[in-house]
Amino acid sequence: MALWKILVKNSGNAACKNKSQKLEKGMFVETSTATSTPPLSQRQNHPMIIQLFRSKYGIEIEPSHMNMSYFSCEKM
């Protein structure tokens, strides 16, 4: 089991479904995975990460933008 911090790389609304919402650099969510593979590289983890951002910040992320261009993973 691995613990991860998923961080927003840059401020902006490009990754948001609703363009009136905005992600800020440094926003993050924490999660755990059963493997040591970063959760962003596994498509089956994307809905969970999107839900974590929705729950914590009220921001809906476009599933097609759930990648390393907009977010980074840090193993904790």
Side-chain angles (χ1 to χ4, degrees):
M1 180 174 260
L3 296 174
W4 297 94
K5 183 186 259 188
I6 314 298
L7 292 135
V8 175
K9 284 185 171 181
N10 296 304
S11 297
N13 66 353
C16 300
K17 269 188 178 179
N18 180 348
K19 298 305 180 193
S20 66
Q21 296 179 330
K22 184 178 178 184
L23 290 169
E24 295 290 339
K25 183 177 182 176
M27 286 180 164
F28 71 92
V29 294
E30 297 172 335
T31 189
S32 62
T33 58
T35 66
S36 60
T37 306
L40 282 177
S41 63
Q42 297 178 331
R43 190 171 287 278
Q44 70 266 22
N45 290 326
H46 293 182
M48 173 203 43
I49 298 168
I50 290 168
Q51 178 59 40
L52 289 170
F53 274 98
R54 185 182 316 124
S55 296
K56 187 171 183 178
Y57 298 107
I59 295 175
E60 185 75 27
I61 297 171
E62 182 68 45
S64 62
H65 290 100
M66 185 54 60
N67 58 53
M68 297 297 266
S69 297
Y70 300 101
F71 302 93
S72 64
C73 287
E74 291 180 4
K75 193 170 183 181
M76 297 172 54

